[in-house]
Amino acid sequence: MPYRPRSLSHVRTAMWAGVVAASTAGLLAAGTVDPVPAAAAPEPARSDSATLRSDPATAAFLARVQPRGKERVTAAVLDLDGGDGRPVVYGDDTPYDTASIVKVDILAAALLEAQDAGRDLTAQERAEAEAMIEHSDNAAAGALWRRIGLAPGLDTANKRLGLTSTEGGSGPTWGLTRTTASDQIRLLCAVFAPDHAPDRAPGSASPALNEESRTYLRALMSRVSPEQAWGVSAAGSGWALKNGWLQRTTTGLWDVNSVGRITTGGRRYLVVVLSDGSTTMRDGVSMTERAARAAVSSAAAR
C-alpha cells in the first residue's frame, strides 16, 4: 500500500507553506512557463455553456464542481471493475496544457526506448525517473525530455501508446504539451490496465509497455511525496497518481491537473481531471478535487 498522509490538512499545510513558491521557481528554470508573447499562445477556446448543459451528466457534474470566472474543467473516469469498459467524460474533451502530468508520458517514452534497445533504464535514468515522478523534479524531467528526443520523441511514443490528441511542447517546454482527458485515460490504461484501452480491440497486438515497465511506473506513482498527494486521491484510497500545476505568464491564471488510479467502494477507477483558468493554485487544487469526487461518484452510479 502507498504511504497515505495523516490528513488532508497536513498535506495542504505543507503544500501552501512552500510548494507553490518552490514549484513556480522550478518551472521557470525548466522553461515550462509560457515563454512567448500572448499573441503567439492564445488561450484555449471556451466551450459554449449551452452545449455543455445540454448533456444532463455534464450539467450535474458542473453544478457540483462550480467552476468560477474563467475556470474550465474536464474529467474522465474509467471503471476497471464494471461498466461497459468505456471511459465517461464530463465536460468538454478539448486540449489543455499538461503541466507536470506529462512526466508520466515522458517516462513511458523513455521506457519504450529502453525496451526497444533490449535494456533496462540506466542508473542515471532511474534516478531521474524517480525524482521526476515522486517529487515532480523539473530538472530531471528536462533531462529525460531531451533524452527521448523532445516533442518528436514523445509524439512517436504516443502513437504506440494509443494517444491521438496529445502534442508535445515546443523545444524545452515539456509542460506546455497539450492533451485531452480522453488521451490521458488512454495513457493510464497503458500503465495500469492495457486490456481496458478504449481503442484496443480484443486479440490485438501486445501492450506497448511490457509488464516490467508498467510495474515500475505504477510503483513510482504510488510513492508520490505526501505534499503532492492531492487531486484524484480525494475520490478514493489506494491511489497512484501524478499532478501538474503551472501558472501561465500570459494571463497569471493557473493550470491544475491530476491523473491516476484510485479505489473506492471496492472498485478501481482510472481518473483524469484537467483544469485551467483558476486565479490561484489553491483554487485550482480545490476544483480538481471537487471534480474528481463528482466524476467518480457519477461514474459509480451509472
Side-chain angles (χ1 to χ4, degrees):
M1 291 289 292
Y3 173 77
R4 190 75 176 173
R6 291 193 299 274
S7 69
L8 190 56
S9 62
H10 170 73
V11 170
R12 284 177 170 156
T13 297
M15 179 170 66
W16 306 130
V19 170
V20 172
S23 63
T24 302
L27 287 168
L28 287 164
T32 57
V33 174
D34 185 0
V36 295
E43 286 297 295
R46 300 294 171 188
S47 305
D48 182 83
S49 59
T51 301
L52 284 178
R53 286 170 175 77
S54 67
D55 174 359
T58 289
F61 167 77
L62 291 175
R64 291 184 63 182
V65 178
Q66 297 182 328
R68 297 173 296 180
K70 294 184 177 182
E71 288 181 332
R72 189 174 66 123
V73 62
T74 301
V77 180
L78 178 60
D79 184 347
L80 297 178
D81 297 309
D84 58 9
R86 292 182 295 180
V88 183
V89 178
Y90 302 95
D92 195 1
D93 197 22
T94 54
Y96 289 77
D97 301 328
T98 59
S100 285
I101 62 169
V102 76
K103 291 169 181 174
V104 176
D105 205 0
I106 292 171
L107 180 51
L111 288 165
L112 283 176
E113 286 193 358
Q115 286 178 197
D116 291 345
R119 64 174 180 85
D120 295 329
L121 294 182
T122 66
Q124 180 64 32
E125 289 168 338
R126 291 180 76 88
E128 291 165 348
E130 290 161 18
M132 177 177 73
I133 301 297
E134 294 180 16
H135 303 288
S136 207
D137 186 273
N138 291 323
L144 285 172
W145 176 248
R146 293 187 295 273
R147 192 166 287 117
I148 67 170
L150 309 179
L154 187 78
D155 295 343
T156 296
N158 282 344
K159 290 179 182 178
R160 297 171 61 184
L161 294 165
L163 280 63
T164 60
S165 303
T166 298
E167 183 177 353
S170 175
T173 58
W174 44 263
L176 295 183
T177 295
R178 301 279 283 170
T179 194
T180 63
S182 290
D183 251 16
Q184 288 302 298
I185 286 286
R186 294 183 180 100
L187 179 58
L188 291 177
C189 281
V191 176
F192 291 97
D195 292 337
H196 287 74
D199 301 328
R200 186 175 169 214
S204 61
S206 298
L209 291 169
N210 63 30
E211 181 59 30
E212 182 179 2
S213 293
R214 295 194 303 271
T215 298
Y216 180 62
L217 241 171
R218 292 194 297 261
L220 297 189
M221 293 175 70
S222 72
R223 298 201 299 262
V224 167
S225 60
E227 69 273 12
Q228 295 179 18
W230 45 268
V232 299
S233 58
S237 60
W239 52 264
L241 60 79
K242 183 71 191 80
N243 297 325
W245 57 99
L246 167 64
Q247 186 176 29
R248 293 299 301 265
T249 59
T250 54
T251 63
L253 300 177
W254 285 82
D255 302 330
V256 180
N257 305 319
S258 184
V259 301
R261 184 209 61 210
I262 58 99
T263 300
T264 186
R267 296 166 79 162
R268 299 166 301 149
Y269 295 89
L270 301 181
V271 188
V272 170
V273 180
L274 305 179
S275 80
D276 61 22
S278 291
T279 303
T280 66
M281 182 180 168
R282 183 189 294 270
D283 288 344
V285 170
S286 178
M287 183 171 66
T288 296
E289 294 188 336
R290 293 196 305 273
R293 288 190 293 264
V296 171
S297 175
S298 296
R302 285 169 60 88

